[in-house]
């Protein structure tokens, strides 16, 4: 009986203290009182006081880190100091993630930088003074570590199927579809695997356009697929660059991260490429 009474009064207290949040025609109201204004442009929300003085901006970021791993977070800026950016973990009910209601909810409920008196500049300053650290899960941390290594390799694929790292040839593709050169994605389904070789014509691996599966020469297998994650569709058709990057992840000996990439001349069919 005592436990039931405690639960009843807890729920009653929550109901009585719940704030009614409304946004209509760019005006944010708390329990019927206007407290701030909001506008949006290209996915960035600008919060203003009732005199329409911009105070801070909020942007919801949803990006691919590597392959099917995505990172969603909030980017917060003070209008008078755009150089100082605060990246925070995503805080919003999933029912309206990333839209105007999400921005308003996050500002009021999660960050408490808008209250019944308007925009709380003191709390906003405190937030930037003691910037909270993001809590990334293990999968996302690993993805960022891989992304960092891949970015250092700076992999590109030219119009003849050569793979370059920081401008230096490190390998090449063979068995390319007829669409190669006209587009950078692999959309043609053929029964012949696209093969990848290093600069010394050593087979690194194969990619099947029908199963979207990469198989390294050493036997490692990775499947590229399409998946829905939040508001984004992931990897319907992979790019040649994405294949080369994934192969560099699966086979660290393919392209090694170093200050200067050193490889031999690219050899195809036993013939050394002409030097320029």
């Amino acid at each position: 009986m005592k436990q039931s009474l405690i639960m009843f009064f807890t729920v009653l207290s929550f109901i009585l203290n719940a704030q009614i949040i409304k946004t209509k025609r760019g005006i944010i109201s708390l329990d019927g009182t206007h407290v701030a204004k909001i506008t949006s442009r290209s996915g960035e929300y600008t919060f203003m006081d009732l005199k329409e003085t911009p105070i801070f901006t909020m942007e919801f970021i949803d990006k691919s880190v590597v392959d099917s791993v995505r990172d969603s977070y909030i980017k917060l800026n003070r209008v008078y100091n755009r150089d100082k950016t605060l990246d925070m973990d995503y805080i919003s009910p999933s029912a309206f993630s990333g839209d105007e209601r999400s921005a308003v909810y996050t500002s009021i409920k999660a960050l408490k930088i808008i209250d019944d008196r308007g925009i709380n500049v003191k709390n906003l300053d405190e937030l930037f003074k003691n910037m909270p650290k993001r809590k990334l899960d293990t999968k996302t941390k690993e993805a960022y570590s891989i992304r960092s290594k891949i970015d250092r390799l700076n992999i590109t694929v030219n119009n003849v199927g050569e793979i370059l790292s920081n401008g230096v040839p490190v390998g090449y593709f063979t068995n390319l579809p007829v669409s190669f050169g006209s587009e950078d994605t692999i959309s043609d389904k053929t029964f012949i695997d696209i093969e990848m070789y290093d600069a010394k014509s050593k087979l690194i691996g194969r990619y099947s356009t029908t199963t979207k599966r990469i198989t390294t020469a050493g036997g490692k297998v990775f499947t590229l697929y399409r998946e829905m994650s939040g508001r984004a569709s992931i990897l319907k058709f992979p790019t040649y660059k994405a294949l080369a990057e994934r192969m560099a992840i699966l086979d660290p000996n393919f392209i090694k991260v170093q200050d200067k990439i050193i490889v031999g001349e690219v050899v195809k069919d036993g013939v050394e490429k002409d030097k320029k």
Side-chain angles (χ1 to χ4, degrees):
M1 181 68 178
K2 185 178 179 181
Q3 188 175 2
S4 298
L5 285 173
I6 293 172
M7 181 65 71
F8 171 77
F9 283 112
T10 300
V11 173
L12 182 63
S13 175
F14 175 79
I15 294 172
L16 292 174
N17 289 294
Q19 292 175 309
I20 299 174
I21 304 170
K22 287 186 178 181
T23 305
K24 187 176 182 180
R25 294 178 182 175
I27 300 175
I28 303 168
S29 301
L30 275 177
D31 296 327
T33 302
H34 296 170
V35 292
K37 291 188 176 183
I38 184 173
T39 61
S40 65
R41 184 179 181 181
S42 301
E44 182 182 76
Y45 298 94
T46 300
F47 288 82
M48 305 170 285
D49 61 21
L50 293 175
K51 295 181 180 179
E52 298 191 356
T53 303
I55 307 298
F56 68 94
T57 63
M58 183 182 296
E59 186 178 0
F60 293 89
I61 308 297
D62 181 41
K63 67 178 184 180
S64 173
V65 183
V66 63
D67 298 321
S68 58
V69 179
R70 300 192 74 82
D71 187 19
S72 298
Y73 59 95
I74 300 164
K75 187 180 288 290
L76 205 67
N77 269 119
R78 289 298 306 266
V79 170
Y80 72 82
N81 185 7
R82 300 291 291 181
D83 292 334
K84 195 170 185 179
T85 302
L86 178 58
D87 291 343
M88 304 184 64
D89 288 325
Y90 206 92
I91 313 163
S92 175
S94 58
F96 46 86
S97 298
D99 65 5
E100 183 181 82
R101 287 173 294 174
S102 182
V104 172
Y105 176 93
T106 301
S107 300
I108 296 172
K109 292 292 187 180
L111 303 181
K112 302 187 186 303
I113 50 181
I114 296 179
D115 54 33
D116 55 1
R117 294 183 180 182
I119 297 177
N120 193 321
V121 177
K122 182 180 178 181
N123 284 358
L124 185 62
D125 287 339
E126 188 65 26
L127 196 62
F128 276 88
K129 184 179 179 181
N130 300 301
M131 300 171 75
K133 293 183 179 180
R134 296 197 57 207
K135 298 176 182 178
L136 299 176
D137 57 32
T138 302
K139 186 178 181 180
T140 307
K141 285 181 180 179
E142 289 176 352
Y144 271 113
S145 177
I146 291 170
R147 182 76 263 165
S148 177
K149 292 178 181 179
I150 291 300
D151 287 343
R152 287 176 60 192
L153 291 177
N154 189 23
I155 294 173
T156 56
V157 179
N158 65 19
N159 59 7
V160 294
E162 283 185 333
I163 303 164
L164 300 93
S165 175
N166 291 306
V168 178
V170 292
Y172 56 91
F173 288 103
T174 62
N175 301 336
L176 295 170
V178 294
S179 63
F180 180 79
S182 61
E183 54 185 58
D184 63 352
T185 57
I186 307 171
S187 56
D188 290 353
K189 289 186 177 180
T190 65
F191 294 103
I192 302 175
D193 292 343
I194 296 174
E195 295 185 337
M196 195 181 307
Y197 294 82
D198 68 10
K200 297 180 180 179
S201 288
K202 176 186 175 183
L203 178 67
I204 300 300
R206 298 179 174 87
Y207 172 71
S208 169
T209 59
T210 54
T211 64
K212 294 186 179 180
R213 179 177 294 174
I214 297 174
T215 305
T216 69
K220 292 183 180 179
V221 177
F222 184 86
T223 303
L224 298 169
Y225 56 93
R226 186 179 183 185
E227 173 185 295
M228 294 302 292
S229 174
R231 294 175 288 127
S233 175
I234 301 171
L235 203 56
K236 181 178 180 181
F237 297 115
T239 62
Y240 293 96
K241 178 181 176 181
L243 284 190
E245 288 180 344
R246 172 47 60 180
M247 196 62 76
I249 295 167
L250 294 172
D251 185 352
N253 293 317
F254 174 32
I255 310 171
K256 292 185 178 180
V257 178
Q258 51 191 335
D259 294 331
K260 187 177 181 180
I261 305 292
I262 302 174
V263 297
E265 290 294 330
V266 172
V267 178
K268 291 187 180 182
D269 301 323
V271 180
E272 187 174 289
K273 180 185 173 183
D274 291 337
K275 297 180 180 179
K276 293 183 178 180

